[in-house]
Amino acid sequence: MTTALRRLRNYIDGEFRDAADGRTTEVVNPATGEAYATAPLSGAADVDAAMAAAEAAFPAWRDLVPAERQKVLLKIADRFEERAEELIAAESENCGKPIALVRSEEIPPMVDQIRFFAGAARMLEGRSAGEYMDGFTSIIRREPVGVCAQVAPWNYPMMMAVWKFAPALAAGNTVVIKPSDTTPASTVLIADIIGSVLDELGHSRGVFNVICGDRETGRLMVEHKVPAMASITGSVRAGMQVAESASKDLKRVHLELGGKAPVVVFEDTDIAKAVEDISVAGYFNAGQDCTAATRVLVQDSIHDEFVAALAKAASETKTGAVDDEDVLYGPLNNANQLKQVKGFIERLPAHAKIEAGGEQVGDKGYFFAPTVVSGLKQDDEIVQQEVFGPVITVQSFSDEKQAVEWANGVEYALASSVWTKDHARAMRMSKTLDFGCVWINTHIPLVAEMPHGGFKKSGYGKDLSAYGFDDYTRIKHVMTSLDG
């Protein structure tokens, strides 16, 4: 006897709809490796319908005073809290994430981030009005850009959806968002929450739309004539494709594309504390985090002691079932990702040494053991390329100059951390490390008030903070004559 699969649907102009041509794709729970739902495989007709709904809803949403948009966002945040257990269940099934960790580590920051952007809606700052030419007054207007086409990733599908829709809606834009084809469930539930709030408060439900689909669906969204902006969190390849597609009609583009965060550990650090924090920051969410602490550079004088302690921490770190409160992380997101992580291990050079882990765990799902690899060189593939799995690499450096050179010697530039008791050294490193974030004696904490975003092949644009809010606005100069 087979269990019927749950049917997920697009959310367009306030209605849940199947794809216009009826096509679907199966959605797999990565903890079991089994399908639990179907989702639309949306095509051009679905994209057209969603964009038309967002375009029609834009003028009224744009023209609301900011306080009214704030009310909507605050109500959405309240509803997230009220329906938290539904969101937790959807995200756990989406990703195989431990239920307790979704409850403690994702719901509270998401609610806080929505409330932050609700406040930002009322802080549309610009330079003061003034006379910069005799007889004329200049005014700066900050306006929404229009319809935003947004593509969210599979590592944090629920939270990344918040990072995208909250600043966009707060600034007065309307949204068409596409979740990853492997993780649509929580975004569809978010559509139900937001749609009900918009309806209760008397606003068009076309303000927020969700379409499910694959890369082709995303391409159709980005190339569509309606959106004024395309935002994506994903791989470098995907970001380049979006930038190229958007260039055809000069859409604004917002890209967050991954990282290879260096974790620079100097000999004066507290090794036990550093290992404890770094192992959590490296293995949390199965290392499927653009800022994960997975590339460790350790000063040679403490290298052996540090590696031994890190390998011990890895052996004590647990992955497993969603209802096990002792696990730190769940499975990799999909079969292709498991294959990718295995491939990095299989292709390790002869000089590399696996200190812990290095293998798949269990006979179902996509679980991979917490892994430590030492003996690596700067030009090794696993040092240069993003693994996006629970694999921490370790290199040994001799001095600060070499540490900076190796830390910066990758194509990514999203996040980094420095571990030292020397304040002056920490300040020098924070200046010379070429990354969008530098943590000192910690790694991975984020707050709504501070920006998240990188340089180089990690993309451009900021999430969170007033800077992230600004990215969803445009600047207009208005000049008036004083002669009447």
Side-chain angles (χ1 to χ4, degrees):
M1 181 177 178
T2 58
T3 302
L5 301 182
R6 188 162 78 252
R7 185 176 68 169
L8 303 174
R9 294 185 290 174
N10 293 330
Y11 186 80
I12 299 173
D13 203 17
E15 295 181 353
F16 285 102
R17 309 180 188 179
D18 295 322
D21 61 7
R23 291 192 304 155
T24 63
T25 183
E26 287 191 343
V27 185
V28 173
N29 183 333
T32 64
E34 298 175 353
Y36 69 91
T38 62
L41 193 57
S42 300
D46 308 297
V47 173
D48 285 344
M51 293 301 173
E55 185 178 34
F58 174 63
W61 184 252
R62 173 199 62 201
D63 293 342
L64 285 176
V65 295
E68 290 301 313
R69 291 198 296 271
Q70 182 189 48
K71 286 181 182 178
V72 173
L73 285 162
L74 290 175
K75 177 70 76 171
I76 291 170
D78 291 345
R79 198 60 53 82
F80 266 54
E81 287 185 322
E82 294 165 10
R83 299 180 66 176
E85 292 306 313
E86 293 177 69
L87 289 165
I88 292 164
E91 193 72 338
S92 181
E93 195 167 35
N94 244 355
C95 308
K97 293 185 180 186
I99 291 170
L101 288 174
V102 178
R103 181 179 290 115
S104 64
E105 304 300 322
E106 296 200 28
I107 296 294
M110 286 193 311
V111 170
D112 178 67
Q113 289 152 9
I114 296 169
R115 288 176 176 151
F116 171 81
F117 284 113
R122 300 179 72 168
M123 293 294 290
L124 291 166
E125 295 182 347
R127 293 182 179 178
S128 63
E131 289 69 50
Y132 301 94
M133 179 182 291
D134 288 342
F136 297 89
T137 294
S138 287
I139 301 169
I140 295 295
R141 291 180 56 89
R142 187 178 291 276
E143 301 175 340
V145 297
V147 175
C148 297
Q150 302 181 318
V151 179
W154 48 251
N155 58 334
Y156 292 99
M158 189 163 61
M159 187 176 291
M160 295 301 98
V162 168
W163 285 22
K164 292 189 181 301
F165 80 70
L169 296 184
N173 304 286
T174 54
V175 165
V176 178
I177 188 168
K178 187 190 86 67
S180 168
D181 56 335
T182 66
T183 55
S186 57
T187 312
V188 171
L189 178 56
I190 287 171
D192 183 56
I193 292 172
I194 294 178
S196 67
V197 170
L198 290 167
D199 197 41
E200 286 175 24
L201 298 181
H203 303 294
S204 168
R205 288 177 289 181
V207 166
F208 182 82
N209 305 271
V210 172
I211 53 174
C212 303
D214 57 9
R215 289 178 181 173
E216 175 63 13
T217 312
R219 184 190 67 79
L220 291 169
M221 288 173 59
V222 172
E223 293 185 356
H224 200 277
K225 65 182 185 342
V226 165
M229 179 176 178
S231 172
I232 178 175
T233 299
S235 68
V236 172
R237 181 182 66 176
M240 289 178 171
Q241 291 170 345
V242 167
E244 182 179 1
S245 295
S247 71
K248 296 174 182 177
D249 57 0
L250 296 178
K251 281 186 180 69
R252 182 180 295 200
V253 178
H254 182 281
L255 303 175
E256 200 275 272
L257 305 179
K260 193 68 179 174
V263 180
V264 185
V265 182
F266 287 94
E267 61 186 358
D268 63 339
T269 196
D270 181 332
I271 293 177
K273 182 65 166 60
V275 165
E276 179 183 358
D277 292 354
I278 290 167
S279 61
V280 171
Y283 297 133
F284 187 81
N285 203 40
Q288 297 170 126
D289 190 311
C290 303
T291 62
T294 56
R295 182 168 65 106
V296 179
L297 307 171
V298 184
Q299 197 153 20
D300 48 17
S301 58
I302 62 167
H303 173 270
D304 292 351
E305 181 182 359
F306 184 92
V307 169
L310 186 61
K312 183 175 184 293
S315 69
E316 296 171 351
T317 299
K318 187 177 178 182
T319 180
V322 299
D323 56 354
D324 186 341
E325 296 192 2
D326 292 330
V327 306
L328 177 65
Y329 67 89
L332 295 166
N333 181 262
N334 54 73
N336 285 338
Q337 189 60 26
L338 176 62
K339 181 180 178 181
Q340 175 171 308
V341 173
K342 283 182 173 180
F344 274 101
I345 299 301
E346 291 165 358
R347 296 190 300 273
L348 283 173
H351 54 262
K353 180 182 179 183
I354 298 175
E355 303 280 355
E359 71 280 332
Q360 185 175 354
V361 176
D363 57 2
K364 66 176 183 177
Y366 312 128
F367 296 91
F368 200 83
T371 300
V372 177
V373 182
S374 67
L376 294 163
K377 299 179 181 179
Q378 179 65 12
D379 59 355
D380 287 337
E381 177 197 31
I382 200 169
V383 169
Q384 291 294 318
Q385 300 300 317
E386 188 173 33
V387 178
F388 227 55
V391 179
I392 297 178
T393 64
V394 185
Q395 298 167 258
S396 176
F397 70 85
S398 58
D399 55 27
E400 186 176 320
K401 180 180 178 182
Q402 187 177 63
V404 171
E405 178 185 349
W406 285 358
N408 290 339
V410 293
E411 293 183 322
Y412 302 91
L414 182 58
S416 59
S417 63
V418 180
W419 300 75
T420 180
K421 296 176 182 176
D422 186 329
H423 177 73
R425 175 190 284 151
M427 291 298 96
R428 289 194 303 271
M429 292 292 290
S430 67
K431 176 183 177 182
T432 54
L433 285 172
D434 188 21
F435 296 84
C437 175
V438 181
W439 286 292
I440 298 173
N441 294 324
T442 188
H443 194 107
I444 228 166
L446 295 168
V447 292
E449 294 86 350
M450 290 294 110
H452 176 276
F455 317 131
K456 293 160 58 175
K457 286 191 175 179
S458 289
Y460 43 80
K462 298 296 182 184
D463 290 311
L464 303 177
S465 80
Y467 300 99
F469 180 72
D470 287 350
D471 281 351
Y472 285 94
T473 67
R474 65 184 190 181
I475 302 299
K476 179 185 288 183
H477 170 218
V478 178
M479 180 180 265
T480 182
S481 170
L482 299 178
D483 291 337

